[in-house]
Each structure stands twice: as structure tokens, then as C-alpha cells.
Amino acid sequence: MRFDKIIEDIKEWLKFYSEIERETYLALSLKENNFEKLEILKEKVKNCKKCNLSSSRINPVFGEGNIEADLMFIGEAPGEEEDKRGRPFVGRAGQLLTKIILAMKLKREDVYITNVVKCRPPRNRDPKNDEISTCLGYLIEQIKIIKPKVIVTLGRIPAKVFIKSSQPITRLRGNFYDYQGIKLLPTYHPSYLIRNESNIKLKKEVWSDMKKVMAFLGLE
Ligand code: URA
Ligand code: SF4
């Protein structure tokens, strides 16, 4: 690894970590119990005004599911329905994600589901880089608390956050990467499958990706 690349990575990490205030770290470090740690973080997100998305959101969407999940899904950002209900993946894309989870012989309650950015970007535009980096500290803490065995990222944006590569999602998907000792596999976003409903190849690719995850988790 090149030296300037190492420096760049360190700077990036420092930026993420500086985004969660000292006070939150102290509060988290005092709690043994993961449920309590997640509740502290959830409360922080509920009151968060660290980026502009706080002014247009209805509800922040922290994430939900099994706090001891082996499998964590990470989407991009809440959409309209998620913003209204304060829950991740409850709109059309969410219905498809739920079907995918069931096809994997799991239930929604078995996995943990969240997003890179916790508040809805206006008119569902892509979250901006500064919004992503400001919010990312919350996601990093969620991962540290839940400690899943596998993370599945949905679509281009969360893949770009975790994998330092200029390759498009079409190339990245279906491969396992490493994030802090956790297997991370990018696949397409369910909204992309919905937008390209007649393209059977995309559905097959997602299913083949999920089979890899199932094999890794011993679900077959
Ligand atoms: N799309 C996402 O990326 N996340 C959601 O929670 C809903 C739709
Ligand atoms: Fe805070 Fe994240 Fe919401 Fe921005 S998107 S206000 S950083 S919770």
C-alpha cells in the first residue's frame, strides 16, 4: 500500500470518528449492554441536526432488527415511506427486500436493516458526500455493537462507502470484501431491480449473491 494512500485512509477514519462527539463515546463506553448502547445511539440520531437533511426530514430512520444478527443489510438513505414511518425499507423497495430475506430462509426480525444516511434526502436525491461522512459515525458504531458476520450493502452508494475502488457496482457485486474482519458483500439495490423489472438477469445475479451469503452463514 502506498504511503500517501495510508495517510489518506487515516485522515478519513479520523474524520468519521470526530463526527460523533466525545460525550457520545463516553456514554457508549460506560454501557456494557448492547441494547443500551444502541438506544443511546438511537436517541442521538433522533435529535441529530449535524447536517442539512435534519431540516427536511419528518423522522430519522435509525435502523431495526435483531441486535445479535449475523446478517446486516445496509441501504442508501430513507425514502418517502421510511421518512413517514421512521422505519427502514418499508416502501416498495422494502417489500422486495423482505421477500429476498424470506427467500434466504430468514425473517426480517432475524437480520438488522439500516442505511448509510439516517435522514431522507429531499425528493430522494443521492446523499451528498458531506452528508454521508457526517452521518457515517452512527453506522460505524451500529456495526461495532451488532458485530454481524456478514454485511450486505445494497446499491452503489453503500458499496462506495466501504470499498475503496473505482469499479462500478456491476463489477463489485457478488464478491466478498473485508470490513474490519467482517465479510462484506455488495449487491444491487432492490429499487434498481424494481426499475428494471423485465431484466431477469439482475434478479438472478442478486439471488446468486444471496446464495453466497447463505452458504457462508450455513443457511443452505
Ligand atoms: N431505499 C434505501 O436505500 N433505504 C431505505 O430504507 C428505503 C429505500
Ligand atoms: Fe444527523 Fe445523519 Fe440525519 Fe444528517 S442524516 S441530520 S448526520 S442523522
Side-chain angles (χ1 to χ4, degrees), residues 45 48-51 53-54 57 117-119 134-135 138:
V45 168
C48 184
K49 293 194 169 50
K50 287 200 293 182
C51 85
L53 297 179
S54 62
R57 74 178 179 221
V117 159
K118 310 302 189 200
C119 303
T134 308
C135 205
Y138 296 124

Side-chain angles (χ1 to χ4, degrees), residues 71-73 97 99-101 103-106 150-154 173-174 176 185-188 193 203-220:
L71 175 57
M72 184 169 189
F73 286 94
L97 178 62
K99 275 193 198 163
I100 293 170
I101 293 168
M104 296 174 79
K105 302 181 185 158
L106 292 166
V150 185
I151 293 172
V152 170
T153 57
L154 302 167
R173 63 143 275 278
F176 280 114
L185 179 139
T187 195
Y188 295 130
L193 297 188
K203 280 186 204 133
K204 284 193 174 156
E205 285 175 330
V206 169
W207 184 234
S208 107
D209 298 349
M210 293 309 99
K211 284 199 141 175
K212 287 186 187 170
V213 173
M214 289 168 74
F216 180 78
L217 292 175
L219 294 169
E220 284 184 315

Side-chain angles (χ1 to χ4, degrees), residues 19 44-55 57 59-62 77-78 116-121 127 130-138:
E19 301 302 348
K44 286 280 167 193
V45 168
K46 196 171 135 195
N47 299 313
C48 184
K49 293 194 169 50
K50 287 200 293 182
C51 85
N52 279 337
L53 297 179
S54 62
S55 56
R57 74 178 179 221
N59 290 298
V61 178
F62 180 66
V116 168
V117 159
K118 310 302 189 200
C119 303
R120 181 193 181 201
D130 65 309
E131 292 159 353
I132 294 175
S133 58
T134 308
C135 205
L136 200 56
Y138 296 124

